[in-house]
Amino acid sequence: MHPLPAAYAAHLSRDRRRSAHTVRAYQATAERLMAFLSRHRGEVADRTTLDMLTQSDLRAFLAQRRNEGLSNASAARELSAVRGFLAWAGAGTPRLKGPRVKKGLPRPIAPDEVMALAEEVADEARAPWIAARDWAVLLLLYGAGLRIGEALSLTGAALPLGETLVVTGKRDKTRIVPILPAVADAVSRYVDLQPWPIRRDTPLFRGAKGGPLAAGVIRRSVQGARGRLGLGERTTPHALRHSFATHLLGRGADLRALQELLGHASLSSTQVYTAVDAAHLLDVYRTAHPRA
């Protein structure tokens, strides 16, 4: 293991108080960069190598990562991590625009972009418990299809999360939604880290000063993260619920069951996702068919 990425990881953990997940991810990026530069220049990379880093070097590194299968969002996040490492090392960062996701008709967010978005939001949090909170909220939106208001209205009565969760939606209509183990684990970790007692009648998700968490806080965090990742303006907290529905439908979910999961009063509200899924199929067809 190269000493510079290890020292950078120690800085992130000790001085920046980043989460263990973030530290591992950023250290891995720094390790990949140093290994690439060693191969690229034919000698062991060090601080001097970082000082001499050119735009061409950085572009070649990102091209290699893209060839390994990174999406636009993941590549943009890799570039962001590299910039952080270079800034810590005192090296200048060559000017290079990150990849951008092409704008167009509304589309669900790809699963890897959902995770990149959630990770980016958590990475920018001021404290580990806030990072865990934001991660848990976003996973509830994508993993359970909750509206942001539904997630933020949860109280301590929801704990401990089991295989299902009773959600109160619009017009005080309740529904039962399944909870994935990853979502339950994220909420549990947040509960363990947050500094306030959670009672059955108190909000589950708290703001930085202990009051109820406002939806605007999450929206602003997502807005900042999507800009850094090059995602489109329609990448919002509600788009995670939209992606939940579209991905389920694309994998064969029954429309009536999806209506219940989303808490829609009428089936017509749910049928919009069939059009979205058809648009995705059309994209696949146009890309794959030789005469398209």
Side-chain angles (χ1 to χ4, degrees):
M1 186 169 58
H2 198 286
L4 279 180
Y8 179 50
H11 159 72
L12 289 174
S13 179
R14 180 187 63 247
D15 303 328
R16 299 292 302 278
R17 300 182 65 190
R18 294 299 182 93
S19 70
H21 174 83
T22 298
V23 172
R24 285 194 302 270
Y26 276 47
Q27 181 176 359
T29 295
E31 291 280 2
R32 284 192 291 268
L33 177 66
M34 298 304 287
F36 169 81
L37 291 174
S38 295
R39 294 191 303 271
H40 193 58
R41 292 178 174 264
E43 58 185 12
V44 177
D46 55 17
R47 282 186 183 270
T48 302
T49 310
L50 295 180
D51 288 336
M52 298 171 59
L53 188 71
T54 67
Q55 187 182 77
S56 178
D57 293 332
L58 191 52
R59 186 178 289 112
F61 170 70
L62 290 177
Q64 175 184 291
R65 295 291 291 136
R66 292 301 297 271
N67 288 337
E68 293 170 357
L70 259 65
S71 67
N72 278 5
S74 297
R77 192 166 188 273
E78 187 91 340
L79 178 58
S80 176
V82 166
R83 285 171 174 155
F85 175 54
L86 294 175
W88 167 82
T93 305
R95 293 179 62 86
L96 186 66
K97 288 185 178 180
R100 297 191 63 84
V101 176
K102 189 172 88 170
K103 296 180 180 179
L105 295 174
R107 289 288 187 272
I109 307 170
D112 65 325
E113 292 180 346
V114 171
M115 301 313 294
L117 180 72
E119 289 171 356
E120 184 69 20
V121 168
D123 286 347
E124 291 299 309
R126 291 181 290 170
W129 78 266
I130 294 179
R133 178 200 69 190
D134 294 351
W135 177 264
V137 169
L138 295 180
L139 285 198
L140 275 169
L141 306 188
Y142 178 66
L146 270 60
R147 301 176 178 93
I148 188 169
E150 293 170 346
L152 299 188
S153 67
L154 293 174
T155 67
L159 301 176
L161 288 187
E163 294 183 348
T164 60
L165 174 66
V166 177
V167 178
T168 301
K170 292 181 177 180
R171 304 179 186 86
D172 291 328
K173 181 181 178 182
T174 61
R175 68 185 189 278
I176 297 176
V177 297
I179 296 296
L180 297 170
V183 176
D185 290 346
V187 173
S188 177
R189 183 171 183 275
Y190 155 70
V191 170
D192 291 342
L193 290 177
Q194 63 84 38
W196 289 280
I198 297 179
R199 298 186 296 272
R200 289 184 60 84
D201 59 345
T202 59
L204 174 58
F205 294 108
R206 305 291 190 93
K209 296 183 179 180
L213 177 61
V217 172
I218 299 297
R219 291 192 179 101
R220 285 191 294 272
S221 296
V222 168
Q223 183 178 12
R226 79 187 182 209
R228 292 188 295 275
L229 295 177
L231 297 173
E233 294 180 359
R234 291 184 175 88
T235 302
T236 63
H238 192 74
L240 300 184
R241 169 176 156 92
H242 172 77
S243 301
F244 162 85
T246 306
H247 294 162
L248 281 182
L249 190 63
R251 289 178 174 268
D254 176 78
L255 200 58
R256 285 287 183 186
L258 186 58
Q259 177 189 357
E260 291 298 321
L261 289 173
L262 293 172
H264 285 161
S266 66
L267 190 61
S268 61
S269 298
T270 312
Q271 286 175 329
V272 65
Y273 295 107
T274 62
V276 173
D277 195 54
H280 170 68
L281 291 175
L282 188 58
D283 282 346
V284 172
Y285 171 81
R286 286 172 173 164
T287 300
H289 197 285
R291 301 302 293 271

